[in-house]
Amino acid sequence: MKNIARTILGIVAGYAVVVLMTELGFGAFPDGRAPKNGGVTVTALATMVAVAAGFTGGYVAAALSRLRPVVSAAIVTVPLVIESIWLLTTRTPPAEFWFEFFGAITLIGSTIAGGLARQCWLRRYRAA
């Protein structure tokens, strides 16, 4: 029972970290979104927010959960995929669809990368 609770806590905490970091990072942009025509600097900043938020959330989920690290990070991506589909179909203007789509893919991929980083760290730690 303790392992199940810790796994649920890890997944919820990982998702919460992703949401909190994206809200804080994108809060600096107008309407909480990076403008599509904001130039290279804005696109780079938006990418860094997505990578940092996803990676950290995936790592937190993997560190707290009792499942394999990549599995924990992958479970965090389920609500991210659902949320991304909802946002892309209801709140994204057609002209910005691909910009937002690749932003969502970056966030989801970074979440998996956080779990992979935790798994690599565990392998190295256990081998030493």
Side-chain angles (χ1 to χ4, degrees):
M1 188 67 176
K2 184 178 178 182
N3 286 342
I4 293 172
R6 185 158 171 182
T7 297
I8 292 170
L9 171 71
I11 292 165
V12 170
Y15 180 71
V17 166
V18 171
V19 170
L20 181 65
M21 287 183 71
T22 53
E23 287 296 320
L24 290 173
F26 288 112
F29 295 110
D31 299 328
R33 295 170 48 169
K36 181 183 93 166
N37 56 355
V40 175
T41 304
V42 171
T43 302
L45 290 173
T47 302
M48 286 191 291
V49 168
V51 169
F55 187 88
T56 306
Y59 194 91
V60 166
L64 295 177
S65 176
R66 291 294 186 193
L67 296 175
R68 286 189 289 160
V70 176
V71 173
S72 299
I75 293 172
V76 171
T77 66
V78 172
L80 291 176
V81 168
I82 293 168
E83 179 183 13
S84 296
I85 290 170
W86 178 74
L87 290 172
L88 286 169
T89 57
T90 62
R91 299 182 68 200
T92 301
E96 296 182 7
F97 178 83
W98 290 110
F99 179 77
E100 296 291 336
F101 174 78
F102 286 114
I105 294 298
T106 301
L107 181 67
I108 292 164
S110 297
T111 305
I112 299 291
L116 283 169
R118 174 66 180 174
Q119 185 168 319
C120 289
W121 182 85
L122 286 173
R123 281 187 185 156
R124 174 171 266 173
Y125 177 75
R126 289 177 182 157

